[in-house]
Amino acid sequence: MADSYDFPDIQERLLALEEAFADHNSYRFKKTMAELRRAVKMRANTTALAQAEILDSRKETERNRKQCVDLQAKLKTVVDRFEGSFTAFEKFRKAIRVVELMRSHEDLPAVLDRIKELFGLRAVSLLLDAGEYAPFEPPGARLAEATALRKGLAALMPKATGPGPFMGSIKAVPDPGFFFGPGFCAERKVLLLGSCFIYPLRDKFGPQKLVGILSFFDSNPDRYTSEKGSEFATHFADILGYTIVDVTDRKKAERLREDVERMTRHDLKSPLTAVLTLPQLLRRDGNLTERQNDMLSLMQHAGYRMLHMINQSLDLYRMERGVYELSPQSVDLLPILDNIAGELRGVIEATDLSLEVTVRGRARAEDDVFAVRGEEMLLYTMLSNLIKNALEASPAGAKATVALTEGRTLDVAVHNAGVVPATIRDRFFAKFATAGKKDGTGLGAYGAKLIAQIHGAKIAMATSEQKGTTVTVAFPKPRTPEKTVAVRAGILK
């Protein structure tokens, strides 16, 4: 800063002062001395000013340095929060996906374990309303009466005016055992310094209705505090509660449907009794023509067929529930196929189709036998459904085949030239899966699958434009007496 001023050269003034002294020129000496003093004073002032400016500059630099440090710290805090929020969002997104895949109450233990793993929690607990969920006995969740749930929340958050969460120290929870289980405190004495998130689950169709309580616990006392946001956690808890409600409603609907179906089957049997007994009563009176007797026989036959269908639907219902008890015996499938062919003769002739049966790779002979272990009526139903489906899917004038082959298993392959529509190939054996059939119910292949499974058989479908469609049922071979003895002796497996 001093270099910007035009100062006299002090060295030159000193030389001029020496010359004036040497010449004994007092006037010049005094004048030079005065100029020298002014120059020194100006130089001193300039130096002081420069030092003051340097000091101010240093102070400004220090202030700027401190501001930079503060800005760096704030920026790091913002970045850390962003990264933490992004990481938390990713975890909650994965957890939400896990919950969305939940299809039944039996999935709850796996869902809760996955949540615990994703969020790195020490404990996850789910309390549900006993009045609503006791009939379903959901695994992985504890049950409590609705009054107990409300009382526990009121004690935890006495000043709460809405359905918000509790976030704070576990020491602030009046009864941790209620929210986390009776053994929580005994097993985690050291962990009672941690923090928790406790949230009341509401019914999405009625927010005033309390479904249950979801609780998270972490040993870190700063994990859940009242100062921190809870948007991710509350949103996730809401989705879990809504999913539990949806699963429960679906189960209620299934039980209602099952009850209605069971009552309908039962009620159908009452009027059917009259249909079956009326032909017998009319025959006792006599005076009937041959045509009238035939018509009564047809009526009685139709009644027995309807009774068989009702009983069969009851059997399928038991199979769905896994409570059907099979009474197997050796059954020859060839007479069953003959009866099915006779029953479907009208369909075959009306569409100019043909049905061919082969046994062990050759045309069927009169003395052929192809026996499997099972129940005759169930096997009749299964094969009738598969063959009827094959005929209905065949192009006019085509041939459907039933091939009985024997290898490691006893296989029944029903083939037709048609192709299964692409829309139902992946769910061909699913309940109510049907396409392109005017009066199709989607129960034929589904019932065949249940019957095959109850017999210990495997059923599969293959379809293509070139080869048509084949449904194969592979029955296990009956054990011979010698093999049974060997298995019991531990020689074979």
Side-chain angles (χ1 to χ4, degrees):
M1 298 292 291
D3 294 339
S4 62
Y5 295 98
D6 185 16
F7 294 117
D9 191 348
I10 296 176
Q11 189 66 32
E12 291 179 359
R13 294 289 180 268
L14 289 173
L15 291 175
L17 184 64
E18 288 178 0
E19 290 176 357
F21 180 79
D23 294 339
H24 302 280
N25 189 340
S26 61
Y27 173 76
R28 185 181 175 190
F29 180 84
K30 291 179 181 180
K31 181 181 177 182
T32 304
M33 190 67 181
E35 289 178 352
L36 181 61
R37 286 173 178 170
R38 284 196 300 271
V40 171
K41 186 176 181 180
M42 290 178 63
R43 176 72 63 160
N45 291 338
T46 302
T47 303
L49 181 61
Q51 289 177 343
E53 289 179 350
I54 292 172
L55 182 60
D56 290 342
S57 177
R58 287 177 177 174
K59 290 180 179 179
E60 184 67 22
T61 302
E62 182 64 18
R63 282 194 297 268
N64 290 337
R65 188 189 66 79
K66 289 182 178 179
Q67 287 179 353
C68 288
V69 172
D70 291 341
L71 287 174
Q72 286 179 339
K74 290 178 180 178
L75 181 61
K76 184 177 184 304
T77 301
V78 171
V79 171
D80 290 344
R81 285 181 179 177
F82 172 78
E83 291 179 348
S85 297
F86 183 77
T87 303
F89 172 77
E90 280 296 302
K91 289 181 179 179
F92 278 106
R93 185 183 65 81
K94 292 178 181 178
I96 288 171
R97 180 58 180 161
V98 170
V99 172
E100 287 176 343
L101 295 175
M102 184 174 140
R103 293 293 177 267
S104 68
H105 292 134
E106 286 68 29
D107 296 334
L108 265 177
V111 169
L112 296 178
D113 286 343
R114 183 60 177 148
I115 292 170
K116 182 178 177 181
E117 176 186 350
L118 279 172
F119 298 159
L121 299 168
R122 299 302 299 254
V124 175
S125 177
L126 178 63
L127 264 174
L128 293 177
D129 178 10
E132 186 75 15
Y133 295 95
F136 304 99
E137 299 180 354
R142 293 179 297 113
L143 301 177
E145 296 297 332
T147 53
L149 295 176
R150 287 191 290 270
K151 184 178 178 181
L153 289 172
L156 178 66
M157 298 179 284
K159 298 181 180 180
T161 57
F166 169 85
M167 297 178 66
S169 171
I170 190 69
K171 293 186 291 184
V173 179
D175 185 6
F178 174 76
F179 295 100
F180 292 98
F184 175 79
C185 297
E187 296 177 1
R188 296 176 171 82
K189 289 182 179 179
V190 178
L191 302 180
L192 289 181
L193 298 175
S195 57
C196 59
F197 166 87
I198 299 175
Y199 187 72
L201 304 179
R202 303 284 175 172
D203 191 330
K204 64 178 178 180
F205 301 112
Q208 73 285 352
K209 182 180 179 182
L210 183 63
V211 172
I213 301 173
L214 178 66
S215 304
F216 295 164
F217 173 76
D218 192 273
S219 55
N220 180 1
D222 298 323
R223 175 77 178 268
Y224 298 110
T225 62
S226 58
E227 296 81 14
K228 292 186 177 180
S230 61
E231 290 81 3
F232 287 156
T234 55
H235 180 61
F236 167 77
D238 285 335
I239 290 176
L240 177 61
Y242 297 162
T243 303
I244 292 172
V245 171
D246 287 341
V247 168
T248 304
D249 287 346
R250 189 162 57 248
K251 272 203 170 185
K252 287 180 180 178
E254 290 175 357
R255 288 192 175 187
L256 178 61
R257 176 184 57 79
E258 292 169 357
D259 291 340
V260 170
E261 288 181 356
R262 190 162 51 249
M263 288 186 291
T264 301
R265 295 185 189 101
H266 179 270
D267 293 343
L268 282 173
K269 287 188 175 183
S270 297
L272 190 57
T273 303
V275 175
L276 293 173
T277 57
L278 184 59
Q280 299 176 2
L281 296 175
L282 291 175
R283 286 196 184 97
R284 289 179 185 175
D285 294 338
N287 300 324
L288 298 177
T289 65
E290 182 178 353
R291 179 172 174 76
Q292 289 172 334
N293 277 315
D294 289 343
M295 292 177 67
L296 288 175
S297 296
L298 289 173
M299 181 189 299
Q300 195 170 33
H301 178 73
Y304 278 116
R305 179 171 173 76
M306 184 176 178
L307 179 62
H308 166 65
M309 292 174 66
I310 294 172
N311 290 333
Q312 179 191 37
S313 66
L314 287 169
D315 291 340
L316 292 178
Y317 170 74
R318 295 190 186 100
M319 291 178 196
E320 286 181 317
R321 299 291 301 275
V323 296
Y324 185 86
E325 295 184 5
L326 188 71
S327 300
Q329 56 184 354
S330 181
V331 178
D332 186 2
L333 298 184
L334 292 172
I336 293 178
L337 294 175
D338 291 337
N339 290 334
I340 294 172
E343 181 182 328
L344 299 176
R345 183 175 292 109
V347 177
I348 295 173
E349 294 176 353
T351 52
D352 194 25
L353 298 171
S354 62
L355 179 64
E356 180 183 273
V357 177
T358 62
V359 181
R360 298 179 178 88
R362 56 175 174 76
R364 177 186 174 183
E366 291 187 2
D367 59 345
D368 280 336
V369 175
F370 197 87
V372 299
R373 294 281 296 173
E375 290 188 12
E376 184 174 356
M377 292 307 301
L378 291 181
L379 295 172
Y380 181 95
T381 300
M382 180 185 70
L383 294 175
S384 177
N385 286 338
L386 295 179
I387 294 172
K388 185 178 179 181
N389 286 347
L391 292 172
E392 291 176 345
S394 296
K399 177 175 68 174
T401 62
V402 181
L404 308 179
T405 58
E406 182 175 356
R408 295 177 64 88
T409 55
L410 298 172
D411 297 346
V412 180
V414 182
H415 175 267
N416 71 86
V419 181
V420 176
T423 55
I424 64 167
R425 288 179 187 176
D426 293 338
R427 52 190 184 92
F428 181 78
F429 293 106
K431 197 172 187 179
F432 306 124
T434 183
K437 293 175 67 175
K438 181 180 178 181
D439 299 319
T441 62
L443 294 175
Y446 174 71
K449 181 191 74 170
L450 290 180
I451 295 172
Q453 290 175 343
I454 205 70
H455 282 82
K458 295 181 179 179
I459 188 168
M461 183 275 294
T463 186
S464 68
E465 295 284 350
Q466 297 76 21
K467 297 182 179 180
T469 301
T470 303
V471 177
T472 304
V473 183
F475 291 91
K477 275 189 172 181
R479 287 176 174 173
T480 62
E482 294 80 4
K483 188 173 182 179
T484 302
V485 171
V487 169
R488 290 176 180 176
I491 300 174
L492 298 174
K493 293 185 179 180

